[in-house]
């Protein structure tokens, strides 16, 4: 539970940083924080916790952007499920498979967001925007190993401190 | 039974969360005050952006949650945006100043020319006795402008919105126009106590009734989602040329009349259709928005649009709005609800 809360808070902080960065630079060069955090949650958290964290991260992203409330939340939930499904077949903890997977899922995410916006809001999108989406997917994919390692390290550290507490080692008494 | 429930716990959670997001989406899309998916092509209203609620007492789960999130996010983003802004300014002021001297000379010459023209126009106005009338009209239209800092941009690639550090405590309400010193920026779509979100004119859901300043040709400026705007519903034969300035017409009652929108860069005249399209470069540099101004008066049409969220118009304010400028005349209302071109 503690791991989920920490990951959620870090994910939300990343969203805030993403929004602040977007004031000074093009969005296409900024990685999708909530997607990366959702993938990390799918990899390092228990399935139920991962789903809840992803949903909350998506709601956070919805609140800070112009999407319908729930639109990105739904995508994050689906991404956690996809991450767990693929992680059962491939080692997604590091390296090229993770980069490629996140790149692909960022593209699928964009396609689903467009489809949802068309379905619910009747909005159409131009083909000229595909370039920007591709660039952002590449940037997001390249950031994925670092984010995954960070989440892995964080979870291990939290596990370790939990295990140490549970062992209750008596360190104050002399050995002999 | 317990074992069965344990086994289906995850699928249940998955289905429950999906259902919840779907309900939120439907609520956000079809809630009170929504305009619907397609724009009313003759009205300059936000097309389907969630307006959010205005009074804390009337907040539903659908609006309370995002409002609380950006209430917390706004000060954090404000703190984080400062170093980003500083870096941007450093770059703009010291690094990217190639050919500044030449540009400065050109601009100075241009200013001198414009000042001369301005003087001539003033003289002409004084001579025709219209200046006093215009000054009186300006006073009638003037509304208080509240400066607000842009603390965050939309984090999705597809939508265009900004987060501002002013909210309901500063009397900012959904539906109020947002401008900058260069021109029209957009409209406030959601507010919390200390922060608010505005949909930019660039967003696909934005539409503003506009006229060409030179020829008075009327049309709708729509966001395309990219850095450019589209001037549509222009009657064939209307006089629109590259370089023309496009301003708000005041029809539709959302944006006040005369706010600069941008400059026509290309007119699409090859089309066989009755209506033309033109590309417009926005007057505002949306990529580098730092400070904007919220016009602290909401049009009566916006009052109606957002009234469903419990934000009923202030009778006093409404009375003042009606007596001062009354931007929606019956003729305008007719045109605003007319979905067909002129």
């Amino acid at each position: 539970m503690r791991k989920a809360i920490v990951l959620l808070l870090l994910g939300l902080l990343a969203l805030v940083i993403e929004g602040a960065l977007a004031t000074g630079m093009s969005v296409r060069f900024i990685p999708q924080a909530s997607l990366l955090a959702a993938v990390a949650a799918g990899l390092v958290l228990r399935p139920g916790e991962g789903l809840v964290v992803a949903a909350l991260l998506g709601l956070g992203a919805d609140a800070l952007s112009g999407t319908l409330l729930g639109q990105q939340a739904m995508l994050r939930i689906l991404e956690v499920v996809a991450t767990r499904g693929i992680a059962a077949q491939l080692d997604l903890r590091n390296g090229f498979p993770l980069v490629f997977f996140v790149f692909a899922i960022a593209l699928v995410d964009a396609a689903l967001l467009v489809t949802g916006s068309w379905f619910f809001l009747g909005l159409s999108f131009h083909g000229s925007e595909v370039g920007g989406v591709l660039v952002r997917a590449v940037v997001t994919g390249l950031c994925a190993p670092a984010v995954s390692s960070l989440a892995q390290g964080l979870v291990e550290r939290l596990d370790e401190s939990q295990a140490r507490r549970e062992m209750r080692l008596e360190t104050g008494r002399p050995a002999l | 039974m317990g074992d069965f429930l344990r086994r289906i716990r995850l699928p249940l959670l998955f289905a429950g969360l999906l259902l919840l997001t779907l309900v939120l989406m439907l609520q956000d899309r079809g809630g009170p005050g929504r305009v619907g998916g397609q724009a009313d092509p003759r009205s300059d209203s936000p097309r389907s952006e969630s307006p959010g609620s205005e009074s804390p007492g009337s907040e539903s789960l659908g609006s309370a949650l995002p409002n609380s999130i950006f209430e917390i996010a706004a000060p954090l983003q404000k703190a984080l945006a400062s170093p980003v802004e500083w870096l941007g300014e450093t770059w703009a002021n010291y690094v990217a100043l190639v050919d500044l001297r030449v540009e400065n000379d050109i601009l100075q010459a241009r200013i001198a020319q414009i000042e001369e023209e301005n003087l001539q126009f003033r003289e002409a106005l004084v001579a025709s006795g219209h200046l006093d009338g215009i000054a009186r009209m300006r006073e009638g239209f003037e509304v208080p402008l509240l400066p607000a800092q842009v603390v965050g941009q939309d984090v999705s690639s597809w939508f265009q919105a900004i987060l501002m550090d002013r909210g309901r405590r500063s009397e900012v309400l959904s539906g109020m126009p947002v401008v900058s010193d260069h021109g029209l920026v957009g409209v406030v779509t959601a507010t919390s106590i200390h922060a608010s979100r505005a949909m930019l004119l660039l967003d696909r859901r934005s539409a503003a009734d506009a006229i060409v300043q030179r020829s008075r040709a009327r049309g709708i400026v729509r966001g395309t989602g990219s850095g450019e705007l589209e001037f549509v519903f222009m009657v064939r034969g209307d006089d629109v040329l590259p370089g023309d300035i496009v301003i708000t017409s005041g029809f539709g009652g959302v944006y006040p009349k005369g706010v600069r929108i941008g400059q026509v860069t290309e007119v699409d005249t090859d089309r066989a259709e009755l209506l033309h399209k033109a590309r417009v470069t926005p007057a505002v540099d949306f990529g580098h928005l730092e400070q904007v101004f919220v016009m602290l008066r909401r049009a009566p049409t916006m009052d109606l649009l957002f009234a469903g969220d419990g934000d009923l118009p202030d009778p006093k304010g409404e009375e003042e709005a009606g007596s001062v400028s009354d931007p929606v005349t019956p003729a305008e209302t007719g045109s605003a609800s007319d979905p067909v071109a002129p």
Side-chain angles (χ1 to χ4, degrees), chain A residues 19-20 22-23 64, chain B residues 77-78 81 149-154 161-164:
Chain A
T23 58
L64 295 177
Chain B
Q77 283 193 331
K78 191 175 178 179
Q149 196 182 335
V150 176
V151 294
Q153 285 262 5
D154 199 325
I162 51 169
L163 197 63
M164 300 179 292

Side-chain angles (χ1 to χ4, degrees), chain B residues 210-213 221 231 240 244-248 259-264 280 283:
Chain B
I211 49 172
V212 173
Q213 197 175 34
V221 168
F231 188 42
V240 178
D244 277 345
I245 301 294
V246 181
I247 58 172
T248 54
V259 182
R260 192 181 173 114
I261 293 177
Q263 191 170 23
V264 175
V280 174

Side-chain angles (χ1 to χ4, degrees), chain A residues 67-154:
Chain A
T67 49
L68 281 177
L69 186 65
Q71 202 172 356
Q72 295 197 64
M74 182 181 271
L75 293 175
R76 295 297 100 87
I77 292 168
L78 295 174
E79 281 152 13
V80 163
V81 174
T83 305
R84 292 201 71 84
I86 298 292
Q89 309 293 323
L90 285 170
D91 183 11
L92 283 184
R93 279 172 297 183
N94 258 319
F96 182 72
L98 182 60
V99 172
F100 186 75
F101 170 71
V102 171
F103 169 73
I105 214 162
L107 291 182
V108 174
D109 177 87
L112 289 177
L113 197 66
V114 168
T115 311
S117 302
W118 168 77
F119 185 76
F120 286 105
L121 301 170
L123 298 177
S124 57
F125 295 88
H126 302 290
S128 59
E129 291 157 46
V130 173
V133 172
L134 276 171
V135 172
R136 199 173 190 203
V138 169
V139 172
T140 308
L142 290 174
C143 291
V147 173
S148 169
S149 302
L150 185 76
Q152 198 75 42
L154 194 78

Side-chain angles (χ1 to χ4, degrees), chain A residues 12-13 15-25 27-28 32 47-49 51-52 55-56 59-75 77-78 81 109-111 113-114 116-117 119-126 128-130 132-133 136, chain B residues 10 13-14 17-22 24-26 28-29 36-38 47-50 61-63 65-67 69-70 72-74 76-78 80-81 84-85 88 150-161 163 197 203-205 224-226 230 287-289:
Chain A
L12 290 174
L13 182 67
L15 264 178
V16 170
I17 294 170
E18 189 185 351
L21 280 177
T23 58
M25 59 193 289
V27 176
R28 67 176 63 179
Q32 273 182 276
E49 289 177 348
L51 285 174
V52 174
L56 291 173
L59 285 175
D62 285 324
L64 295 177
S65 71
T67 49
L68 281 177
L69 186 65
Q71 202 172 356
Q72 295 197 64
M74 182 181 271
L75 293 175
I77 292 168
L78 295 174
V81 174
D109 177 87
L113 197 66
V114 168
S117 302
F119 185 76
F120 286 105
L121 301 170
L123 298 177
S124 57
F125 295 88
H126 302 290
S128 59
E129 291 157 46
V130 173
V133 172
R136 199 173 190 203
Chain B
L10 264 179
L13 178 67
F14 174 66
L17 285 172
L18 275 187
L19 193 67
L20 178 70
T21 55
L22 196 65
L24 284 174
M25 281 162 76
L26 289 171
D28 200 23
R29 176 184 176 263
Q38 288 297 324
R47 288 189 261 180
S48 55
E49 171 75 1
S50 321
L61 174 71
S63 58
L65 189 66
N67 285 359
I69 289 174
F70 69 71
I72 297 165
L76 282 172
Q77 283 193 331
K78 191 175 178 179
L80 287 165
V84 176
E85 207 173 281
V150 176
V151 294
Q153 285 262 5
D154 199 325
V155 291
S156 76
S157 310
W158 306 100
F159 298 94
Q160 307 280 346
L163 197 63
R197 190 174 66 200
D203 194 284
R204 288 176 180 80
R205 292 164 291 178
T224 59
S226 61
E230 198 178 45
H288 297 94
L289 270 182

